[in-house]
Amino acid sequence: MIASTHLAIRVIAVGITALQLYSVFVAPLPLHMHYALFLAAVLVLVFGKDLPERPRLAQAIDLLLIAVTIAWAAYIVANHDRFITRIAFVDRPTMWDMIMGTALIATLMEATRRVAGWGLFVIAGIFILYGFFGYILPSSIGHSGLGLSRFIDIQVLSNNGIFGIPIGAVVSYIFYFILFATFLELSGGGQLFIDLAFFATGRTRGGPAKSAVIASGLMGSINGSAVANVVGTGTFTIPLMRRFGYKPTFAAAVEAASSTGGQLMPPIMGAAAFVMVELTGLDYVTILTGAAIPAVLYYLAILFAVDLTAKKDGLSGLPAKELPDIGTGLTRRIHLLLPLVVLVYLMVSGRSLMMAAIYAFLAAIAVSFVRKETRIKAMDMLRGLEQTAYAILIVAVPCATAGLIIGIIVQTGIGLKFTDFILSLASGSLLLSLIAVMVACIILGMGMPTVSAYIMVAILMAPALMQLDLYVLSVHLFIFYFALLSFVTPPVALASYAAAALARTSATATGVHAFKLTLPGFLIPFAFAYNPALVMNGAWHEVIWVTTSCAIGVYAIAGTVVGMHLRRSTGLERAVAFGAALLLITPEHLTDLIGLAVFAALMFWQQRRPEDAPVAGNEPLQNPELQHGE
């Protein structure tokens, strides 16, 4: 029985993708029914994917959860016509509506615990309790309370709760980009990115680490998961960095920081960019171009740190014999870049995100036949359809839960209370408001999938910043950056922990080191919050000026973290460089000029300063072969 159930689960996995393609190429389903069927199939996959390996009692529980999921899905399909014609909050839900709605929420919560962990489960549970029992709280944070009938009306029978914007973005956009990414990987696109990275930087100073930064950034933009990207690329890049002299902690930190930043990098930006389209009302091209400069600055910071560390410790690049063989590597896979070109062209030309991803997916299949080594065979296609369904779990379940939380926020008015609280806490100060939102985003994002973390903090925090007359894209990118940086910010730095496990080193030390590497990433959002020219909302000369000053500031901070600029830096020189960096990143012309003058003077001083003896605080490493990167 278990074997047949396992086969059925695999069929459902392929069926999820088939449902999505059917809705595009054959006949679109009514939205509420489509969302319900999609979510039900996802939950069945969550409960059934590990069924054969589970103990007997756990198997029985899983089978019960699967049966309950099928029951509420069948009920929604059977009653769909009534649901779409009823008047919300006027036509009261029936007893069976409430029973099946409660069953839906219960199965969703259990799936959330399994897929996203206890963090999102507890937060969603707190919001549910707040929805029912908010009337017992003080009026400053409380509300009149929601009954079960109204709660089910919001969450299940309407498009304002579980079947709202977040799950809609998954069904309409995100799924198809994951489908494209899966098939690009099947054809060898992931290996192409690694080969390109090593070919571009492998022979330069610190080449293995620089290649890891670029490869992780390219892969992270597509797969949308910092932890998955660490595991995927880190199994190759971390041992390579260690072999060429980098200490395990530094190698793991580089991989964690690079994999995390992949979701900041256009053109795909993981999956959060598509949700950002829905929440901001901006078109995708505006978001793509606006996110480009901050993402480049983020990666420049890591590359500068890697380069200066290599300079400080005397590391060289990869030998020519260890670089990818152009004849058998790059040239045999270079055609796999064509689907990415198709994707970007269609998005920039104004085609819908869904169709752009679908055409890119079809292009990935077509171009794979150019060479035998990259050809996607029939069984590979079935495997790709199945893998896509499994890959969507980490996005779809948290997004459905985020929709549940949003429904409660909207109906109870807690979002407005958060806005008032932040504004009163900061006393109208933009800087204090930004700091308060930054702290809240990092705390709320800890241990949560990126998309759900972004959605939740955007609903709660964005209105407060919008009250301060900030550019809407600056607000949402600010929130997104700090929700994402929670992956490398101790104490809950999931990407750092994953990288530390691969490097077999201290998770805490890796988290601290990754935090240092991403320190410029904590300052860049403040820069584009104050000056939206950094997100391409300004005159071209202003964009060039603020980008240049920030790039110099990022270099100054990277050198401060490493303890190396033109030469090894003293403690005083590092302090001066950090001060100059703050002035350069602060988006005002006067502060930019002062910062530039200070940093130029420091570089002139370092160039002329004799270095006959070790600099205090930067003594030579006792065992350079084993301790590079500290």
Side-chain angles (χ1 to χ4, degrees):
M1 178 181 174
I2 295 300
S4 60
T5 303
H6 181 60
L7 177 61
I9 295 299
R10 296 190 65 183
V11 171
I12 290 173
V14 175
I16 292 175
T17 307
L19 171 69
Q20 290 295 100
L21 295 176
Y22 175 87
S23 68
V24 173
F25 293 111
V26 182
L29 297 173
L31 284 184
H32 195 274
M33 182 188 295
H34 189 170
Y35 294 173
L37 288 174
F38 179 85
L39 180 60
V42 164
L43 296 193
V44 169
L45 207 56
V46 171
F47 300 136
K49 62 186 178 70
D50 298 321
L51 197 60
E53 293 79 28
R54 304 264 284 170
R56 286 188 176 275
L57 178 60
Q59 288 178 355
I61 294 173
D62 289 342
L63 290 173
L64 176 62
L65 290 169
I66 290 172
V68 172
T69 301
I70 293 173
W72 65 250
Y75 181 80
I76 289 177
V77 171
N79 290 271
H80 176 261
D81 291 342
R82 178 170 63 86
F83 289 166
I84 63 175
T85 56
R86 65 184 294 275
I87 302 175
F89 310 130
V90 175
D91 297 329
R92 292 177 60 85
T94 67
M95 180 186 69
W96 277 106
D97 290 344
M98 290 189 283
I99 291 173
M100 289 299 176
T102 302
L104 190 163
I105 294 170
T107 52
L108 175 60
M109 289 293 288
E110 172 58 17
T112 300
R113 185 189 66 81
R114 297 189 187 192
V115 170
W118 284 99
L120 183 56
F121 177 88
V122 171
I123 290 173
I126 290 173
F127 272 95
I128 291 173
L129 292 174
Y130 175 77
F132 285 115
F133 302 107
Y135 63 89
I136 67 176
L137 298 174
S139 59
S140 58
I141 59 172
H143 62 96
S144 59
L146 299 174
L148 180 61
S149 176
R150 187 174 182 85
F151 186 75
I152 296 300
D153 203 336
I154 297 165
Q155 298 294 346
V156 180
L157 306 183
S158 74
N159 292 325
N160 298 315
I162 293 171
F163 301 122
I165 289 176
I167 196 68
V170 174
V171 172
S172 302
Y173 311 131
I174 298 172
F175 181 90
Y176 299 103
F177 279 86
I178 292 179
L179 177 67
F180 159 66
T182 300
F183 275 79
L184 184 65
E185 176 68 21
L186 281 176
S187 65
Q191 185 59 48
L192 172 64
F193 292 153
I194 293 174
D195 288 349
L196 284 171
F198 277 88
F199 178 70
T201 61
R203 298 191 68 178
T204 63
R205 183 172 61 197
K210 291 178 183 176
S211 301
V213 172
I214 295 174
S216 297
L218 291 172
M219 288 298 296
S221 177
I222 292 178
N223 67 26
S225 171
V227 175
N229 200 45
V230 167
V231 175
T233 59
T235 52
F236 173 73
T237 59
I238 290 176
L240 186 65
M241 284 187 277
R242 290 186 61 181
R243 184 158 62 88
F244 276 82
Y246 286 103
K247 191 172 181 180
T249 301
F250 184 81
V254 167
E255 179 60 41
S258 303
S259 293
T260 298
Q263 294 174 78
L264 307 174
M265 181 65 69
I268 298 178
M269 297 173 63
F274 311 124
V275 180
M276 202 176 292
V277 170
E278 296 287 343
L279 296 182
T280 62
L282 299 172
D283 62 85
Y284 189 77
V285 174
T286 300
I287 293 174
L288 180 138
T289 54
I293 294 175
V296 169
L297 291 173
Y298 177 91
Y299 274 97
L300 276 178
I302 303 175
L303 288 170
F304 285 150
V306 165
D307 181 72
L308 292 173
T309 298
K311 180 180 180 181
K312 177 182 176 182
D313 295 341
L315 296 179
S316 59
L318 284 168
K321 64 180 181 180
E322 296 200 27
L323 288 173
D325 185 343
I326 301 176
T328 60
L330 285 177
T331 56
R332 292 191 177 183
R333 296 190 184 94
I334 199 69
H335 59 283
L336 298 178
L337 288 177
L338 183 60
L340 281 173
V341 174
V342 171
L343 178 69
V344 174
Y345 171 77
L346 291 175
M347 290 193 298
V348 172
S349 64
R351 297 299 293 267
S352 71
L353 295 177
M354 179 178 68
M355 294 311 300
I358 288 173
Y359 283 128
F361 153 67
L362 296 175
I365 295 175
V367 301
S368 74
F369 285 88
V370 170
R371 285 188 172 273
K372 181 179 179 181
E373 297 88 346
T374 62
R375 189 172 302 155
I376 299 176
K377 303 177 180 65
M379 290 304 297
D380 291 332
M381 290 188 185
L382 281 175
R383 184 160 53 92
L385 297 178
E386 184 180 353
Q387 287 179 357
T388 301
Y390 285 116
I392 201 67
L393 301 183
I394 191 64
V395 179
V397 173
C399 278
T401 307
L404 184 151
I405 294 172
I406 290 172
I408 297 171
I409 291 171
V410 172
Q411 288 299 316
T412 61
I414 187 63
L416 296 176
K417 298 180 188 296
F418 260 90
T419 298
D420 294 340
F421 172 74
I422 290 176
L423 294 178
S424 62
L425 182 68
S427 302
S429 166
L430 176 57
L431 178 60
L432 293 178
S433 297
L434 290 172
I435 292 173
V437 171
M438 174 192 73
V439 173
C441 289
I442 291 174
I443 292 173
L444 291 173
M446 286 181 177
M448 291 177 59
T450 306
V451 175
S452 54
Y454 162 66
I455 292 171
M456 190 169 66
V457 297
I459 295 298
L460 289 173
M461 304 295 170
L465 296 182
M466 293 301 297
Q467 291 284 331
L468 300 172
D469 295 325
L470 296 179
Y471 177 46
V472 60
L473 183 56
S474 296
V475 168
H476 280 263
L477 284 177
F478 184 93
I479 289 168
F480 178 47
Y481 263 63
F482 287 113
L484 185 60
L485 286 172
S486 65
F487 278 88
V488 290
T489 305
V492 186
L494 296 184
S496 298
Y497 297 165
L502 292 176
R504 298 180 181 179
T505 187
S506 166
T508 301
T510 299
V512 171
H513 218 126
F515 172 77
K516 291 178 181 178
L517 289 176
T518 57
L519 184 60
F522 284 80
L523 299 178
I524 293 168
F526 286 89
F528 61 64
Y530 276 95
N531 191 338
L534 202 59
V535 291
M536 301 296 286
N537 185 41
W540 65 268
H541 56 83
E542 184 68 17
V543 172
I544 294 174
W545 175 271
V546 71
T547 301
T548 303
S549 65
C550 283
I552 298 172
V554 161
Y555 175 81
I557 294 180
T560 300
V561 170
V562 172
M564 181 80 188
H565 287 99
L566 296 181
R567 297 185 178 185
R568 290 175 180 263
S569 300
T570 65
L572 177 60
E573 289 171 346
R574 293 168 83 167
V576 171
F578 185 73
L582 292 179
L583 291 170
L584 284 162
I585 292 178
T586 303
E588 298 290 341
H589 288 285
L590 179 59
T591 57
D592 286 346
L593 292 172
I594 295 174
L596 187 61
V598 171
F599 189 64
L602 175 63
M603 294 299 96
F604 179 75
W605 159 254
Q606 278 205 344
Q607 184 66 37
R608 296 178 62 86
R609 169 172 60 79
E611 196 172 21
D612 299 326
V615 175
N618 283 296
E619 291 80 2
L621 298 167
Q622 297 301 312
N623 190 348
E625 183 178 356
L626 297 178
Q627 300 189 40
H628 292 311
E630 283 290 68

